Amino acid sequence: MTSRIALRAAAMFDGATAARDPLVVVEDGRIVSVDAGTRVAPPADAQLVDLPGATLLPGLVDTHVHLGFDAGLDPVATLAERDPDEVLDAMAAAAAAQLSAGVTTVRDLGDRDYLTLALRERGGLLPTIVAAGPPITSPGGHCHFLGAATSGADGVRAAVREHAERGVDVVKVMASGGQMTPGTNWDATQFPPEVLRALVDEAHAHGLPVTAHAHAVDAIRDALAAGADGLEHATFVTADGPRLDEKLLAGVVRRRVAVGLTVGLEMVPGLEPPPDIRRHLPAILGVAAAICGSGALVVAGTDAGIAPPKPHGVLPRGLVQLTELGMTPLQALTAGTSVAATVCGLGERKGRVAPGYDADLLAVAGDPVTDTTALLRPLQVFAGGRAVVPVAA
């Protein structure tokens, strides 16, 4: 059988712009040519995959997942009960669910024992994985149970060095508390500013970007001052609930710090969000909408795995939610493809349908450029030129 594949569809979003009647030729896992609007014939030696009525786009990029969490009612306890081989098997299943939904690249921002790196080494048909390893946190701090709790400038520098030696791609730091860890407060910081600066300096010295879990306004301010490259959640929480600090947001926009908005929910009947989230949800959504309209560098991070409404593969719903927060469909699609790939350090080979790029491709029923819910109807997924089976219904 030929190693060359030609994909023809009704429309295409190439990671930046929309076009009609595309023909995309793939060979050895890479895109070798892209034609649009001309109805050119496929190469004689290529296997034609005809996708009438479909739109072809880059595989989606989720900038914030936790493959080690199973999206159950108590993912922390489940993870703690599993031995490493069981965790790896569960992570492989989570990765397969991501692929089936059209998510061909994930950035895992918190695992146990660097098992995401072990999963990557296992091989097989997986999404491309950008790995942070265990998130660096304070003693007793948010996600301390994942094993990278430390304190002081010397402590965080040593933790970063260990992460670098292990081969991570990004450093995740818990700059504020979070909802999954009793005893922590999402409106409070976890490291003094000078310690956060030491962590970022050490990471940058090793060529590693830093993204900061930052719900609290003070955590956002400290992470920005420390030189962090990204902010996760960015809910601007104060002791009185989420309150947007427009001056601080302007600094985030000016510095082009990536903001990973937490979007994407698959509602589970009878299951309510945590009380703090439920009480403050209108204000959280208001802050997110303001960020979307501010010109900030926004990407979609689902936090997949942390709860039943956050199953692996929920990113298409997250991109739909970005349009509900004020983005145009084109902006949301860009946030979930080319922009997200760039934020993950993969912008030169992921997130575009263009010659030389990896053949990570998604075909959906309908046109997501006019209706992002088309993303919920995947027809075909390719990861590195390999067809993903089964495809989500």
Side-chain angles (χ1 to χ4, degrees):
M1 179 177 290
T2 178
S3 63
R4 283 160 66 87
I5 300 170
L7 298 114
R8 189 188 294 284
M12 176 176 68
F13 169 72
D14 68 3
T17 61
R20 303 296 300 178
D21 298 320
L23 182 75
V24 177
V25 179
V26 171
E27 184 174 8
D28 297 329
R30 292 289 182 92
I31 298 168
V32 295
S33 68
V34 179
D35 291 286
T38 58
R39 296 295 294 180
V40 298
D45 62 345
Q47 176 191 356
L48 179 63
V49 178
D50 212 352
L51 299 161
T55 298
L56 196 63
L57 62 153
L60 305 179
V61 180
D62 193 332
T63 61
H64 190 151
V65 309
H66 297 279
L67 295 173
F69 289 151
D70 70 346
L73 290 172
D74 195 344
V76 174
T78 301
L79 177 62
E81 291 164 359
R82 287 174 168 162
D83 65 34
D85 286 338
E86 291 172 326
V87 176
L88 282 171
D89 288 343
M91 292 173 78
Q98 296 280 2
L99 278 181
S100 290
V103 183
T104 56
T105 299
V106 296
R107 186 170 64 165
D108 189 295
L109 290 183
D111 68 11
R112 189 190 81 194
D113 301 328
Y114 299 92
L115 287 174
T116 307
L117 297 175
L119 175 67
R120 199 160 62 182
E121 291 168 4
R122 258 192 180 190
L125 188 54
L126 296 168
T128 297
I129 299 171
V130 177
I136 299 174
T137 190
S138 56
H142 184 42
C143 289
H144 64 88
F145 44 80
L146 293 176
T150 189
S151 62
D154 290 343
V156 297
R157 287 185 182 276
V160 168
R161 287 195 294 273
E162 178 183 340
H163 280 63
E165 289 164 4
R166 292 278 194 150
V168 304
D169 308 294
V170 59
V171 171
K172 166 79 172 299
V173 61
M174 298 303 197
S176 76
Q179 293 292 311
M180 287 184 73
T181 310
T184 72
N185 296 316
W186 68 333
D187 63 343
T189 61
Q190 294 200 153
F191 292 103
E194 65 274 13
V195 174
L196 206 54
R197 282 196 297 273
L199 181 148
V200 173
D201 288 348
E202 189 70 26
H204 287 174
H206 286 85
L208 294 171
V210 175
T211 193
H213 164 104
H215 282 294
V217 167
D218 288 342
I220 295 170
R221 182 176 293 107
D222 290 349
L224 186 66
D229 306 280
L231 298 167
E232 304 303 312
H233 314 301
T235 42
F236 284 80
V237 176
T238 70
D240 298 319
R243 298 287 186 275
L244 183 67
D245 183 323
E246 293 187 1
K247 183 177 179 180
L248 181 55
L249 176 58
V252 172
V253 174
R254 185 172 59 253
R255 282 267 314 281
R256 304 306 289 160
V257 173
V259 180
L261 291 184
T262 311
V263 290
L265 288 171
E266 192 167 292
M267 298 313 297
V268 178
L271 193 64
E272 294 288 339
D276 272 359
I277 299 291
R278 187 166 65 249
R279 182 167 62 253
H280 295 302
L281 188 56
I284 292 171
L285 294 176
V287 167
I291 292 172
C292 285
S294 69
L297 181 63
V298 172
V299 291
T302 63
D303 232 353
I306 66 164
K310 291 286 188 179
H312 292 284
V314 77
L315 179 61
R317 294 186 183 278
L319 299 183
V320 173
Q321 188 180 356
L322 286 182
T323 65
E324 295 167 354
L325 292 169
M327 282 191 173
T328 67
L330 203 64
Q331 288 171 330
L333 290 172
T334 304
T337 56
S338 56
V339 173
T342 299
V343 166
C344 289
L346 300 172
E348 294 183 354
R349 65 184 185 94
K350 303 283 186 184
R352 297 293 305 273
V353 183
Y357 277 67
D358 292 350
D360 294 347
L361 298 164
L362 167 63
V364 298
D367 187 357
V369 174
T370 58
D371 177 11
T372 49
T373 64
L375 297 172
L376 306 178
R377 301 186 294 275
L379 297 173
Q380 184 64 68
V381 182
F382 287 87
R386 299 170 63 186
V388 175
V389 180
V391 171

Coordinates of all heavy atoms in Angstrom, one line a residue, residues 139-197:
P139 N 5.4 22.8 51.0 CA 5.0 21.8 51.9 C 3.6 21.9 52.3 O 3.1 22.9 52.8 CB 6.0 22.0 53.0 CG 7.2 22.6 52.4 CD 6.6 23.6 51.4
G140 N 2.8 20.8 52.0 CA 1.4 20.8 52.3 C 0.6 21.6 51.4 O -0.7 21.8 51.5
G141 N 1.2 22.2 50.3 CA 0.5 23.0 49.3 C -0.3 22.3 48.3 O -0.4 21.0 48.4
H142 N -0.8 23.0 47.4 CA -1.7 22.4 46.4 C -1.0 21.3 45.6 O 0.1 21.5 45.1 CB -2.2 23.5 45.4 CG -3.2 23.0 44.4 ND1 -4.2 22.2 44.7 CD2 -3.3 23.3 43.1 CE1 -4.9 21.9 43.6 NE2 -4.4 22.6 42.6
C143 N -1.6 20.1 45.6 CA -1.0 18.9 44.9 C 0.3 18.5 45.5 O 1.1 17.8 44.8 CB -0.9 19.2 43.4 SG -2.5 19.2 42.6
H144 N 0.5 18.7 46.8 CA 1.8 18.2 47.4 C 1.9 16.7 47.3 O 3.0 16.2 47.4 CB 1.8 18.7 48.9 CG 0.7 18.1 49.7 ND1 0.8 16.9 50.4 CD2 -0.6 18.5 50.0 CE1 -0.3 16.6 51.0 NE2 -1.2 17.6 50.8
F145 N 0.7 16.0 47.2 CA 0.7 14.6 47.2 C 1.3 14.0 45.9 O 1.5 12.8 45.8 CB -0.7 14.1 47.3 CG -1.7 14.8 46.5 CD1 -1.9 14.6 45.2 CD2 -2.5 15.8 47.1 CE1 -2.8 15.3 44.4 CE2 -3.4 16.6 46.3 CZ -3.6 16.3 45.0
L146 N 1.6 14.9 44.9 CA 2.3 14.4 43.7 C 3.8 14.3 43.9 O 4.5 13.9 43.0 CB 1.9 15.3 42.5 CG 0.4 15.2 42.1 CD1 0.1 16.2 41.0 CD2 0.0 13.8 41.7
G147 N 4.3 14.9 45.0 CA 5.7 14.6 45.3 C 6.8 15.6 45.1 O 7.9 15.3 45.2
A148 N 6.4 16.8 44.8 CA 7.4 17.8 44.5 C 7.3 19.1 45.4 O 7.3 20.2 44.9 CB 7.4 18.2 43.0
A149 N 7.1 18.8 46.7 CA 6.9 19.9 47.6 C 8.3 20.4 48.2 O 9.1 19.5 48.5 CB 6.0 19.5 48.8
T150 N 8.5 21.7 48.2 CA 9.7 22.2 48.7 C 9.5 23.6 49.2 O 8.4 24.2 49.1 CB 10.8 22.1 47.6 OG1 12.1 22.5 48.2 CG2 10.5 23.1 46.5
S151 N 10.6 24.2 49.7 CA 10.5 25.6 50.2 C 11.8 26.3 50.1 O 12.9 25.7 50.0 CB 10.0 25.7 51.7 OG 10.9 25.0 52.5
G152 N 11.8 27.7 50.1 CA 13.0 28.4 50.0 C 13.6 28.5 48.6 O 13.3 27.6 47.8
A153 N 14.4 29.5 48.4 CA 15.1 29.6 47.1 C 15.9 28.4 46.7 O 15.9 28.0 45.6 CB 15.9 30.9 47.1
D154 N 16.7 27.9 47.7 CA 17.6 26.8 47.4 C 16.7 25.6 47.1 O 17.1 24.7 46.2 CB 18.5 26.5 48.6 CG 19.6 27.6 48.7 OD1 19.8 28.3 47.8 OD2 20.2 27.6 49.8
G155 N 15.6 25.4 47.8 CA 14.7 24.3 47.6 C 14.1 24.2 46.2 O 14.1 23.2 45.5
V156 N 13.6 25.4 45.7 CA 13.0 25.4 44.4 C 14.0 25.3 43.3 O 13.7 24.7 42.3 CB 12.1 26.7 44.2 CG1 10.9 26.7 45.2 CG2 12.9 28.0 44.3
R157 N 15.2 25.9 43.5 CA 16.2 25.7 42.5 C 16.6 24.2 42.4 O 16.8 23.7 41.2 CB 17.5 26.5 42.9 CG 17.3 28.0 42.7 CD 18.6 28.8 42.9 NE 18.4 30.2 42.8 CZ 18.4 30.9 41.6 NH1 18.7 30.2 40.5 NH2 18.3 32.2 41.6
A158 N 16.7 23.5 43.5 CA 17.1 22.1 43.4 C 16.0 21.3 42.7 O 16.2 20.4 42.0 CB 17.3 21.6 44.8
A159 N 14.7 21.7 43.0 CA 13.6 21.0 42.4 C 13.6 21.2 40.9 O 13.4 20.3 40.1 CB 12.3 21.5 43.0
V160 N 13.9 22.4 40.5 CA 13.9 22.7 39.0 C 15.1 21.9 38.4 O 14.9 21.3 37.3 CB 14.1 24.2 38.8 CG1 14.5 24.4 37.3 CG2 12.9 24.9 39.1
R161 N 16.2 21.8 39.0 CA 17.3 21.1 38.5 C 17.0 19.6 38.3 O 17.3 19.0 37.3 CB 18.6 21.2 39.4 CG 19.2 22.6 39.3 CD 20.6 22.6 39.8 NE 20.6 22.3 41.3 CZ 20.5 23.3 42.2 NH1 20.4 24.6 41.8 NH2 20.5 23.0 43.5
E162 N 16.3 19.0 39.3 CA 15.9 17.6 39.2 C 14.9 17.4 38.0 O 15.0 16.5 37.2 CB 15.2 17.1 40.5 CG 14.7 15.7 40.3 CD 13.9 15.2 41.5 OE1 14.0 15.8 42.6 OE2 13.1 14.2 41.4
H163 N 13.9 18.4 37.9 CA 13.0 18.3 36.7 C 13.8 18.3 35.4 O 13.5 17.6 34.5 CB 12.0 19.4 36.8 CG 10.9 19.1 37.8 ND1 11.1 19.0 39.1 CD2 9.5 19.0 37.6 CE1 9.9 18.8 39.7 NE2 9.0 18.7 38.8
A164 N 14.7 19.3 35.3 CA 15.5 19.4 34.1 C 16.3 18.1 33.8 O 16.3 17.7 32.6 CB 16.4 20.6 34.2
E165 N 16.9 17.5 34.8 CA 17.7 16.3 34.6 C 16.8 15.2 34.2 O 17.2 14.3 33.4 CB 18.4 16.0 35.9 CG 19.6 16.9 36.2 CD 20.0 16.8 37.7 OE1 19.5 15.9 38.4 OE2 20.9 17.6 38.1
R166 N 15.5 15.2 34.6 CA 14.6 14.1 34.3 C 14.1 14.3 32.8 O 13.6 13.3 32.2 CB 13.4 14.1 35.2 CG 13.7 13.8 36.6 CD 13.7 12.3 36.8 NE 13.7 11.9 38.2 CZ 13.1 10.8 38.6 NH1 12.6 9.9 37.8 NH2 13.1 10.5 39.9
G167 N 14.2 15.5 32.3 CA 13.8 15.7 30.9 C 12.5 16.3 30.6 O 11.9 16.1 29.6
V168 N 12.0 17.1 31.6 CA 10.7 17.7 31.4 C 10.8 18.8 30.3 O 11.9 19.3 30.0 CB 10.1 18.3 32.7 CG1 10.0 17.3 33.8 CG2 11.0 19.5 33.2
D169 N 9.7 19.2 29.8 CA 9.6 20.2 28.8 C 9.2 21.6 29.3 O 9.4 22.6 28.6 CB 8.6 19.8 27.7 CG 8.8 18.4 27.2 OD1 9.9 18.2 26.5 OD2 8.0 17.5 27.4
V170 N 8.6 21.6 30.5 CA 8.1 22.9 31.1 C 8.0 22.7 32.6 O 7.9 21.5 33.1 CB 6.7 23.2 30.5 CG1 5.7 22.0 30.8 CG2 6.1 24.5 31.1
V171 N 8.2 23.7 33.3 CA 8.1 23.7 34.8 C 6.7 24.3 35.2 O 6.4 25.4 34.8 CB 9.2 24.4 35.5 CG1 9.0 24.6 37.0 CG2 10.6 23.7 35.2
K172 N 6.0 23.5 36.0 CA 4.7 24.0 36.5 C 4.9 24.3 38.0 O 5.4 23.4 38.8 CB 3.7 22.8 36.4 CG 2.4 23.0 37.2 CD 1.4 24.0 36.5 CE 0.1 24.0 37.2 NZ -0.6 22.7 37.2
V173 N 4.5 25.5 38.4 CA 4.6 25.8 39.8 C 3.3 26.2 40.3 O 2.5 26.9 39.7 CB 5.7 27.0 40.0 CG1 5.2 28.2 39.3 CG2 5.8 27.3 41.5
M174 N 3.0 25.8 41.5 CA 1.7 26.1 42.2 C 1.9 27.4 43.0 O 2.3 27.5 44.1 CB 1.3 25.0 43.1 CG 1.0 23.7 42.4 SD -0.2 23.8 41.1 CE -0.6 22.1 40.9
A175 N 1.6 28.6 42.3 CA 1.8 29.9 42.9 C 0.7 30.2 43.9 O 0.8 31.1 44.7 CB 1.9 30.9 41.8
S176 N -0.5 29.5 43.8 CA -1.6 29.7 44.7 C -2.1 28.4 45.1 O -1.7 27.3 44.6 CB -2.7 30.6 44.1 OG -3.5 29.8 43.2
G177 N -3.0 28.4 46.1 CA -3.7 27.1 46.5 C -4.7 26.8 45.5 O -4.9 27.4 44.5
G178 N -5.4 25.6 45.7 CA -6.3 25.2 44.7 C -7.4 24.3 45.4 O -7.4 24.0 46.5
Q179 N -8.4 24.0 44.6 CA -9.7 23.4 45.1 C -9.5 21.9 45.4 O -10.3 21.4 46.2 CB -10.8 23.6 44.0 CG -11.2 25.0 43.8 CD -11.9 25.6 45.0 OE1 -12.9 25.0 45.6 NE2 -11.5 26.7 45.5
M180 N -8.5 21.3 44.8 CA -8.4 19.8 45.0 C -7.6 19.4 46.3 O -7.6 18.3 46.6 CB -7.6 19.2 43.8 CG -8.4 19.1 42.5 SD -7.5 18.2 41.2 CE -7.6 16.5 41.8
T181 N -7.0 20.4 47.0 CA -6.2 20.1 48.1 C -6.7 20.8 49.4 O -6.6 22.0 49.6 CB -4.7 20.6 47.8 OG1 -4.3 20.1 46.5 CG2 -3.8 20.1 48.9
P182 N -7.3 20.0 50.3 CA -7.8 20.5 51.5 C -6.6 21.2 52.3 O -5.5 20.7 52.3 CB -8.3 19.3 52.3 CG -8.6 18.3 51.2 CD -7.6 18.5 50.1
G183 N -6.9 22.3 52.9 CA -5.9 23.0 53.7 C -5.2 24.1 52.9 O -4.4 24.9 53.5
T184 N -5.5 24.2 51.6 CA -4.9 25.3 50.8 C -6.1 26.3 50.4 O -7.2 25.9 50.4 CB -4.2 24.8 49.5 OG1 -5.2 24.4 48.6 CG2 -3.3 23.7 49.8
N185 N -5.7 27.5 50.2 CA -6.7 28.5 49.8 C -6.4 29.0 48.4 O -5.2 29.4 48.1 CB -6.6 29.7 50.8 CG -7.0 29.3 52.2 OD1 -8.0 28.6 52.4 ND2 -6.2 29.7 53.2
W186 N -7.4 29.0 47.6 CA -7.1 29.5 46.2 C -6.9 31.0 46.1 O -6.5 31.5 45.1 CB -8.2 29.0 45.3 CG -9.6 29.6 45.5 CD1 -10.2 30.1 46.6 CD2 -10.6 29.7 44.4 NE1 -11.4 30.5 46.4 CE2 -11.8 30.3 45.0 CE3 -10.7 29.4 43.1 CZ2 -12.9 30.6 44.3 CZ3 -11.8 29.6 42.4 CH2 -12.9 30.2 43.0
D187 N -7.3 31.7 47.2 CA -7.0 33.2 47.2 C -5.7 33.5 47.8 O -5.4 34.7 48.0 CB -8.2 33.9 47.8 CG -8.3 33.6 49.3 OD1 -7.8 32.5 49.7 OD2 -9.0 34.3 50.0
A188 N -4.8 32.6 48.1 CA -3.6 32.8 48.8 C -2.4 32.3 48.0 O -2.5 31.3 47.3 CB -3.6 32.1 50.2
T189 N -1.3 33.0 48.2 CA 0.0 32.6 47.5 C 0.6 31.5 48.3 O 0.3 31.3 49.5 CB 1.0 33.8 47.4 OG1 1.3 34.2 48.7 CG2 0.4 34.9 46.6
Q190 N 1.5 30.7 47.6 CA 2.2 29.6 48.3 C 3.7 29.8 48.4 O 4.4 29.1 49.1 CB 1.9 28.3 47.5 CG 0.5 27.9 47.6 CD 0.2 26.4 47.2 OE1 -0.7 25.8 47.7 NE2 1.1 25.8 46.5
F191 N 4.2 30.8 47.7 CA 5.7 31.1 47.8 C 5.9 32.6 47.9 O 5.2 33.4 47.2 CB 6.4 30.6 46.5 CG 6.5 29.1 46.3 CD1 5.6 28.5 45.4 CD2 7.4 28.3 47.0 CE1 5.7 27.1 45.3 CE2 7.4 27.0 46.9 CZ 6.6 26.3 46.0
P192 N 6.9 33.0 48.7 CA 7.2 34.4 48.7 C 7.7 34.9 47.3 O 8.2 34.0 46.5 CB 8.4 34.5 49.7 CG 8.3 33.3 50.5 CD 7.7 32.2 49.6
P193 N 7.6 36.1 47.0 CA 8.0 36.6 45.6 C 9.4 36.3 45.3 O 9.7 35.9 44.1 CB 7.7 38.1 45.7 CG 6.7 38.3 46.7 CD 6.9 37.2 47.7
E194 N 10.3 36.4 46.2 CA 11.7 36.2 45.9 C 12.0 34.7 45.6 O 12.9 34.3 44.8 CB 12.6 36.6 47.0 CG 12.5 35.9 48.3 CD 11.4 36.5 49.2 OE1 10.6 37.3 48.7 OE2 11.4 36.1 50.4
V195 N 11.2 33.8 46.2 CA 11.4 32.3 45.9 C 10.8 32.0 44.5 O 11.4 31.2 43.8 CB 10.7 31.5 47.0 CG1 10.7 30.0 46.7 CG2 11.3 31.7 48.4
L196 N 9.7 32.6 44.2 CA 9.1 32.4 42.9 C 10.1 32.9 41.8 O 10.3 32.3 40.8 CB 7.8 33.1 42.8 CG 6.8 32.6 41.8 CD1 6.5 31.1 42.0 CD2 5.5 33.4 41.8
R197 N 10.8 34.0 42.1 CA 11.7 34.6 41.1 C 12.9 33.6 41.0 O 13.4 33.4 39.9 CB 12.2 35.9 41.6 CG 11.3 37.1 41.3 CD 12.0 38.4 41.4 NE 12.5 38.7 42.7 CZ 11.8 39.3 43.7 NH1 10.5 39.6 43.5 NH2 12.3 39.5 44.9

